[in-house]
Amino acid sequence: MDVRQFRHFAAVAETLHFGRAAERLRMTQPPLSQSILALEKELGAPLFVRTKRNVRLTPLGEQWLPQVQAALAALDALPGAARRMRDGRSGFLALSFVSTADYSVLPSLVRRYSQAYPEVEIRLFEATSDVQLPALVEGERHAGIVIPPTDQPLPPALAYRRLLREPLVAAVPSAWIDEGRIGSDAVLSAEELLASPLILFPKHVAPAFHDLVTGHYRALGGDARIAQEAIQMQTIISLVSSGLGIALVPASLRNLARTGVTYVPLAGTAPELETGLAWRKGEISPTLANFLKLTEPG
């Protein structure tokens, strides 16, 4: 039993005429009849009732025909599907991202990519950079939006492209401003920053971000007084709203509006956070190749 026999059966079943089916298949009628007989012998049951005047399907033939037609349609679609996958117009893209990217580069990239390649399934995975990098090295994701480490280079197996640099701002409890604990000026002074308890990512989870924030405190002549740690930016903002302390966050996090939280610029030169795209070097999937084109500068 092979695909050729399936096509023979479908042609006869759809025309209910061996002669017309043979014409459609561009073959003569005798080998078509022999093919159908061989198929029926292999199935152990007739597919057609033949008389001198007409041909009709048996109950088995009627029930089997839709399945054969579906199988042939799927088979005929395979070359086109392969071409779409080859060109990165279908398939899937596995993309991981740090939580801060959800309020900066991620929405725009996903929107532009999905508009350009609507047949591609985008699989998103939120994870901290320390989790993403080993997964990218092992090929578990196509690419990841990460905060690159500052104390060591990226793994040599990975390529990297900067996507964004943005200043940090202070997320402060709105009640502190109302109570006068923090001045109502347009910026947060160095004195107010140093005097306020801080909510921050743990160093082992986000070493680059942790070092950026604590380094800014040291540059101001003090040390960060860490009151609470959390591994999700949304959690950090929730803790700020509860009044446990302030947080230094990327400026794009202003897009995360939260009752009880006010975003205030830092006095002086604010530290800048870099966010970029990392992916494994070497063979690149077509969907990733198109995604990389989308992120090229300019």
Side-chain angles (χ1 to χ4, degrees), residues 18-297:
F18 276 83
R20 286 194 292 270
E23 289 178 3
R24 179 197 289 187
L25 295 166
R26 298 182 180 179
M27 61 187 299
T28 59
Q29 185 172 334
L32 174 60
S33 298
Q34 293 171 6
S35 176
I36 296 298
L37 286 172
L39 180 60
E40 290 175 322
K41 183 177 179 180
E42 188 165 355
L43 289 172
L47 295 168
F48 299 98
V49 176
R50 305 160 178 85
T51 68
K52 292 182 179 180
R53 302 183 61 179
N54 59 39
V55 175
R56 60 184 175 83
L57 286 163
T58 64
L60 170 62
E62 289 179 352
Q63 294 182 49
W64 197 41
L65 177 60
Q67 297 183 37
V68 172
Q69 290 171 323
L72 290 174
L75 188 64
D76 292 339
L78 286 178
R83 286 190 290 270
R84 290 194 300 276
M85 290 180 180
R86 176 200 64 195
D87 298 337
R89 293 184 286 116
S90 68
F92 71 93
L93 175 73
L95 180 66
S96 54
F97 64 97
V98 291
S99 60
T100 53
D102 200 15
Y103 304 96
S104 57
V105 295
L106 181 67
S108 174
L109 285 176
V110 169
R111 181 175 61 254
R112 290 163 56 201
Y113 186 79
S114 62
Q115 288 175 346
Y117 305 100
E119 292 184 43
V120 175
E121 176 192 358
I122 304 175
R123 301 176 184 175
L124 296 174
F125 306 88
E126 183 176 346
T128 53
S129 298
D130 67 310
V131 173
Q132 287 193 59
L133 296 178
L136 292 170
V137 169
E138 294 300 319
E140 296 175 9
R141 305 285 184 265
H142 288 133
I145 300 176
V146 301
I147 297 172
T150 55
D151 58 344
Q152 60 184 348
L154 284 171
L158 299 182
Y160 175 79
R161 175 179 296 161
R162 179 195 296 176
L163 297 177
L164 174 70
R165 283 187 68 88
E166 57 180 329
L168 298 186
V169 299
V172 304
S174 302
W176 288 13
I177 298 176
D178 297 337
E179 297 165 0
R181 184 170 175 176
I182 290 180
S184 57
D185 298 337
V187 298
L188 185 71
S189 69
E191 293 76 14
E192 291 169 330
L193 177 65
L194 293 171
S196 300
L198 179 68
I199 303 169
L200 184 61
F201 287 110
K203 183 175 176 63
H204 72 277
V205 168
F209 189 88
H210 189 282
D211 291 347
L212 182 67
V213 171
T214 56
H216 182 62
Y217 276 79
R218 287 193 296 271
L220 295 176
D223 291 314
R225 187 157 54 90
I226 300 175
Q228 185 70 44
E229 293 182 335
I231 64 172
Q232 295 291 334
M233 188 58 77
Q234 298 92 326
T235 304
I236 289 175
I237 295 302
S238 293
L239 294 173
V240 171
S241 71
S242 69
L244 286 182
I246 70 170
L248 298 192
V249 299
S252 58
L253 215 73
R254 291 189 178 104
N255 294 320
L256 175 57
R258 181 65 58 89
T259 301
V261 177
T262 300
Y263 296 98
V264 182
L266 300 175
T269 302
E272 291 189 335
L273 179 70
E274 180 173 322
T275 303
L277 186 71
W279 66 95
R280 186 174 177 174
K281 297 175 183 175
E283 187 175 358
I284 294 175
S285 75
T287 53
L288 175 58
N290 288 337
F291 187 74
L292 292 177
K293 291 178 184 177
L294 200 70
T295 65
E296 288 177 351

